[in-house]
Amino acid sequence: MTPKVLVLFRNDDLCAWSNPAHEERLLFLFTDYKVPMTLGVVPKVRGWHLTDNRAIVQLLEQAKASGHELALHGLEHDHHEFERLPIDELRRRLAEGQRLMRTWFGEPAQTFIPPDNALSRAVLSLLATQEISVVSSGPPLLPLLGNQPFVVDAVARLFFAPLVVLIRHLASLPLSQPLPLVIYFHSWEVRTKPHWERLAILLQTVRETEGVVATTFAQALHQFPDALRVWVEWRQNETMVQRWNSAFHHRAFRRARMLHRYWRDSHARWFPAPALEEWLVRAYAAAVQGDVRALEQIVLHPARQFVGTTLSQSAETLIGWCSLAAVATVHHFTRPRLPTKMEDTLGAVASSHLATLAGVNSAQPRRSLVYLSFDFRLVAEHAAMTSRALAKRGWQVTFVHPKGAIWNVKRDGLRCLEVENSAIGAQKEMAKLIASWRPPIVYARQHWKGILPLLIAHRHGIPYVAEFNGLRHRGMLRKNPKSVKAHLIRFLERQSARLATALVVPSRTLAERIAALVGSNTEIHDLRTVPCTLPLTNYALPLFIVPNGIDPAIFCPRPAEAVRQQLGLPTEGRIIVYAGSLHVWQGIDVLLHAFARLRTHFPDCRLLIVGGQDEPGKDTYHQLARELRVADYTHFIPFVPYEQSALWIAAGDVCVAPYLDSYREYGGGSPLKVYAYLSCGRPIVLSDLGEFVEADLVRQSGAGLLVPEGDPEALADALARLLADPSLREEMGKRGREAILSGYTWDHNAERIERVLEGVMRKA
């Protein structure tokens, strides 16, 4: 007998952070009801391999042996980065994910689940080359071209949809082909007793309803390919897909789904508003079938069905609405949003790790430290690289940072601990760690939101070295001298500097500013010039200048032609490279005007602008490139991983850093991009802002040309001089590489910081 409904359960986000006991209970429940499911496996998440959690690997092996399917759910769990990755990086991640799946489970995945539904035509074009046959994403749906690979999107999310009634309704319809119904969830969503009970009721319904078959994506592809093809065919019409997305995300439909979810958090069986449940079922049924006209008619006129059609049904529904309103109110004040993906699991991991560290007594090795990072979004490259370099020198480094902050570099040799991703929560957990563990010394990439751990360390007499990479209040006061927030931040930054045992800064300019801010007796030590021994006297506050560094093994000279072939760039012609953020003080507008002038003399020249995330006003640069008629020769490359940025730099003939004078107010000096350019053996054209941007290093080493800031004509002339002289470029590149190796690697940086740590610990 041909089934009417194919139910495909999809459990996302199985990774190294998953809770084995929770996943085992979930797997046993599905196995007991003989209902297969597809598990989305994340082989690596922010540096953690799946094999770091051996219990999860064994559980997945058991699931595969029991008839469940293992799908590839991306490689890294950096959801919002996935859709912005260059095509080569996408290809690398997919290939690496399939390699790991083959290594661990004996075969590659047939099904791919894009992280955070970040599906695009570029991703689809790659999947067939990576042995992927089925893709399961979710709303908003993507218009499709062609039939391969099969795309079976998840529309119904567990607890948000009245699935028990929906499945029975779909099974009663006169369908010509089996209808795929993908039910997706994350295991951490199944938390309370009503959740488990509701899931059991759903599985029992799937088993007992005539015409309903539970299957995996791979099984459905083998047994019911025509059913999957029907789901793909209506998606060829881009207008219909857009209308479907608009109707599915309509405010009334979204709010009704949320009300259903809130109710299911505490009630497994009955629903208080039967008319609303019936309306949801009809809307979901239309959405699953791709019946756009019916979906629009249902969703755009909700009031007709919300109260029921009979008097008794209307009375029952109105009473039920009171219960729903009460539940929604409670959720609004007690939990204003649902947990994000993996949030509960992350909390459990962080709490258990924190308890482990807090349980360690104070008898720690002398060469151990806690490194505090207050980077809430992206772990700073120099914080990670400094910690790794200290670990190489024999230090036991515990790197503490807010959970959810993305790692852009490998964290080899570090013991990492994640705390809450909120200013107050992170400070509380960091302070608790310091008070309980009593480490020999604390090193912090200081932030104005991080004064509580400093106060606790000060109270317990624990040496605390604060690294400042800028003064936030200066840029804010430059914009608005009367800003209350800016003056509050100035107060917090001053108190942080005063309470620290010692301060580390990357430039003399910043050191002098902090000394003026503190307003008390300070003494500045420039560790770029002092000998290795560092005796500390009893002055009030030692302030050390420690420049940043670069990894010369990653950022090394490479043949430009080979790198361009690897990146898919033209091998002929000249290329100028800018790598870094797109903040206004970086001078990207000046660079574009200079490039427009340069094009008249070098028509084969191209400009690569590599980097940028969510800086305000970054889109104006695209518009400016169009206005200057250089858009066809200017390539904006989104944010790329740390190691890959070295390839883009090596692809260029000349590198550029056109800083504006306002950078003095926002930055801290010692910019990483300058070291990266020099380490890759590329000549640099740099704004002459003195020691603050390492202009003195470039001048003394002869590794590039210096130009006045904000002058596109001078910038264009300097670039033209280098582009016209290959031998000069080669000589300057060699000089820059030598300058880096002589004192500006991360090993040099760690050696200087080690002298600070040892000196502070001796004094303490």
Side-chain angles (χ1 to χ4, degrees):
M1 178 180 176
T2 303
K4 288 188 174 182
V5 183
L6 302 178
V7 177
L8 302 99
F9 283 96
R10 202 185 86 190
N11 179 11
D12 294 354
D13 296 334
L14 276 293
C15 68
W17 291 341
S18 299
N19 184 335
H22 191 82
E23 299 295 346
E24 184 177 31
R25 180 182 178 186
L26 196 63
L27 179 62
F28 282 172
L29 182 63
F30 275 81
T31 304
D32 285 345
Y33 280 96
K34 297 182 174 57
V35 174
M37 67 173 165
T38 300
L39 298 98
V41 179
V42 187
K44 189 173 70 173
V45 49
R46 295 174 191 152
W48 292 64
H49 278 78
L50 189 66
T51 49
D52 292 335
N53 191 337
R54 189 58 198 167
I56 285 294
V57 176
Q58 293 172 348
L59 195 66
L60 290 173
E61 292 171 346
Q62 179 183 349
K64 185 172 180 288
S66 300
H68 303 286
E69 181 187 3
L70 304 184
L72 180 62
H73 191 19
L75 178 64
E76 296 281 358
H77 206 286
D78 302 331
H79 285 147
H80 301 291
E81 175 198 12
F82 188 86
E83 59 189 342
R84 299 197 301 263
L85 290 174
I87 195 71
D88 289 336
E89 178 63 13
L90 283 172
R91 183 181 293 107
R92 185 197 69 79
R93 291 199 181 190
L94 289 169
E96 177 68 5
Q98 288 289 56
R99 185 189 68 80
L100 293 174
M101 294 291 286
R102 188 181 291 107
T103 301
W104 295 334
F105 306 112
E107 61 182 5
Q110 293 186 54
T111 303
F112 179 70
I113 304 171
D116 205 35
N117 296 332
L119 186 62
S120 65
R121 291 195 175 97
V123 175
L124 282 174
S125 66
L126 286 178
L127 294 177
T129 66
Q130 302 297 331
E131 303 178 82
I132 296 295
S133 302
V134 184
V135 181
S136 181
S137 185
L141 303 186
L142 178 73
L144 303 177
L145 298 175
N147 294 328
Q148 293 291 341
F150 288 101
V151 178
V152 190
D153 286 321
V155 173
R157 185 172 178 180
L158 190 66
F159 304 135
F160 285 78
L163 293 170
V164 172
V165 184
L166 175 61
I167 289 173
R168 292 170 179 164
H169 173 73
L170 292 175
S172 68
L173 297 177
L175 302 173
S176 59
Q177 286 283 355
L179 182 66
L181 173 64
V182 181
I183 301 173
Y184 79 107
F185 62 97
H186 308 91
S187 55
W188 49 260
E189 290 182 290
V190 188
R191 302 188 309 273
T192 65
K193 183 179 178 180
H195 289 165
W196 289 101
E197 186 178 351
R198 186 65 181 174
L199 182 56
I201 294 172
L202 175 59
L203 295 177
Q204 184 176 0
T205 302
V206 171
R207 287 291 300 169
E208 296 179 352
T209 304
E210 185 177 354
V212 176
V213 172
T215 182
T216 65
F217 292 94
Q219 292 170 354
L221 178 64
H222 178 68
Q223 299 177 8
F224 309 102
D226 290 339
L228 303 189
R229 191 169 291 111
V230 169
W231 177 254
V232 172
E233 286 176 352
W234 75 269
R235 299 270 295 278
Q236 310 291 321
N237 188 322
E238 186 170 353
T239 301
M240 296 299 286
V241 173
Q242 292 175 352
R243 288 171 57 187
W244 189 99
N245 287 330
S246 178
F248 189 84
H249 291 94
H250 189 270
R251 181 174 57 183
F253 193 21
R254 184 177 66 250
R255 290 183 175 177
R257 296 197 299 266
M258 293 302 297
L259 285 173
H260 191 276
R261 167 61 198 254
Y262 290 154
W263 185 262
R264 291 305 175 202
D265 280 347
S266 54
H267 299 82
R269 296 186 179 274
W270 70 289
F271 191 73
L276 175 60
E277 186 174 48
E278 180 182 343
W279 181 84
L280 275 171
V281 167
R282 293 177 59 234
Y284 268 111
V288 170
Q289 295 178 82
D291 191 343
V292 178
R293 293 180 178 83
L295 179 60
E296 290 175 334
Q297 185 177 5
I298 294 168
V299 170
L300 298 179
H301 305 285
R304 297 177 185 176
Q305 292 88 11
F306 267 20
V307 296
T309 56
T310 66
L311 183 61
S312 60
Q313 191 181 47
S314 298
E316 184 180 5
T317 299
L318 290 174
I319 294 173
W321 272 104
C322 296
S323 302
L324 287 175
V327 168
T329 302
V330 170
H331 270 267
H332 177 75
F333 288 105
T334 60
R335 190 165 193 143
R337 61 173 176 83
L338 292 171
T340 56
K341 290 188 175 182
M342 305 172 71
E343 190 172 69
D344 291 353
T345 304
L346 284 170
V349 171
S351 299
S352 61
H353 196 0
L354 184 59
T356 301
L357 288 180
V360 180
N361 60 35
S362 59
Q364 293 294 317
R366 288 283 293 171
R367 291 176 65 83
S368 69
L369 66 90
V370 169
Y371 193 116
L372 303 182
S373 168
F374 296 95
D375 298 315
F376 290 89
R377 301 182 63 184
L378 179 70
V379 175
E381 295 164 5
H382 90 265
M385 298 303 290
T386 295
S387 300
R388 284 178 53 184
L390 287 170
K392 280 175 56 180
R393 299 184 67 84
W395 287 81
Q396 296 182 12
V397 181
T398 299
F399 193 94
V400 185
H401 67 93
K403 67 183 179 184
I406 297 172
W407 282 80
N408 196 25
V409 299
K410 296 178 181 178
R411 38 185 172 180
D412 302 340
L414 300 182
R415 179 170 57 175
C416 298
L417 169 62
E418 293 186 334
V419 295
E420 286 188 34
N421 196 314
S422 66
I424 296 177
Q427 290 189 71
K428 287 172 62 178
E429 291 200 16
M430 289 176 178
K432 180 181 177 182
L433 171 63
I434 293 171
S436 302
W437 190 21
R438 306 289 180 89
I441 193 167
V442 176
Y443 189 98
R445 175 174 157 82
Q446 197 58 37
H447 193 282
W448 64 271
K449 294 180 180 179
I451 196 168
L452 181 58
L454 174 54
L455 290 170
I456 297 300
H458 188 267
R459 177 181 178 184
H460 290 286
I462 300 171
Y464 189 105
V465 179
E467 177 188 297
F468 280 81
N469 289 278
L471 293 172
R472 175 72 184 279
H473 74 270
R474 289 183 64 92
M476 298 178 68
L477 289 176
R478 179 188 177 99
K479 289 183 177 180
N480 181 9
K482 297 181 180 180
S483 170
V484 175
K485 181 179 179 180
H487 285 284
L488 174 61
I489 292 175
R490 182 179 185 275
F491 170 78
L492 293 173
E493 288 179 330
R494 183 174 66 240
Q495 293 303 111
S496 297
R498 286 177 173 176
L499 290 171
T501 311
L503 302 179
V504 170
V505 296
S507 67
R508 176 168 290 277
T509 302
L510 183 58
E512 293 170 349
R513 288 174 178 173
I514 292 179
L517 177 68
V518 171
S520 59
N521 185 25
T522 59
E523 187 168 343
I524 297 175
H525 295 262
D526 192 339
L527 297 193
R528 295 172 292 191
T529 57
V530 299
C532 290
T533 56
L534 185 65
L536 291 181
T537 56
N538 291 321
Y539 44 76
L541 181 65
L543 212 158
F544 302 98
I545 301 173
V546 177
N548 291 316
I550 200 70
D551 187 334
I554 297 175
F555 292 83
C556 59
R558 295 180 173 90
E561 183 175 352
V563 174
R564 293 180 187 181
Q565 289 178 346
Q566 183 177 350
L567 296 175
L569 296 172
T571 56
E572 302 295 331
R574 302 170 176 87
I575 292 181
I576 301 167
V577 174
Y578 167 86
S581 71
L582 301 183
H583 290 293
V584 64
W585 56 82
Q586 299 285 359
I588 306 300
D589 54 342
V590 177
L591 174 58
L592 289 171
H593 279 96
F595 181 60
R597 291 171 176 266
L598 197 65
R599 283 278 308 165
T600 60
H601 302 287
F602 297 91
D604 64 342
C605 186
R606 293 179 180 272
L607 172 63
L608 301 184
I609 298 179
V610 183
Q613 295 188 65
D614 54 0
E615 297 90 340
K618 67 173 185 177
D619 293 334
T620 60
Y621 299 130
H622 294 264
Q623 178 63 30
L624 179 59
R626 288 190 291 269
E627 293 174 358
L628 295 173
R629 298 182 180 179
V630 294
D632 293 338
Y633 314 99
T634 304
H635 305 275
F636 289 88
I637 313 300
F639 174 79
V640 297
Y642 178 72
E643 296 185 7
Q644 192 178 7
S645 65
L647 295 177
W648 292 97
I649 293 173
D653 296 295
V654 180
C655 294
V656 61
Y659 290 106
L660 300 181
D661 187 63
S662 57
Y663 176 60
R664 298 175 188 267
E665 302 299 325
Y666 294 94
S670 188
L672 295 181
K673 67 166 63 63
V674 173
Y675 301 137
Y677 295 162
L678 300 181
S679 186
C680 286
R682 296 298 184 263
I684 181 175
V685 177
L686 174 68
S687 297
D688 191 359
L689 298 181
E691 174 262 356
F692 198 72
V693 297
E694 294 295 2
D696 295 340
L697 173 65
V698 173
R699 181 184 293 108
Q700 294 165 8
S701 65
L705 301 177
L706 302 177
V707 297
E709 64 88 24
D711 188 339
E713 184 175 356
L715 181 59
D717 291 343
L719 290 170
R721 179 184 170 189
L722 290 175
L723 291 176
D725 193 339
S727 60
L728 179 60
R729 296 201 303 266
E730 183 179 0
E731 179 61 27
M732 285 185 168
K734 290 179 180 179
R735 293 173 184 172
R737 177 73 175 178
E738 292 171 358
I740 292 298
L741 296 179
S742 67
Y744 292 91
T745 69
W746 289 121
D747 289 335
H748 292 110
N749 173 270
E751 179 186 0
R752 292 163 179 143
I753 291 179
E754 182 180 68
R755 284 151 48 198
V756 174
L757 298 173
E758 290 176 344
V760 169
M761 292 169 74
R762 282 196 302 268
K763 181 181 178 182

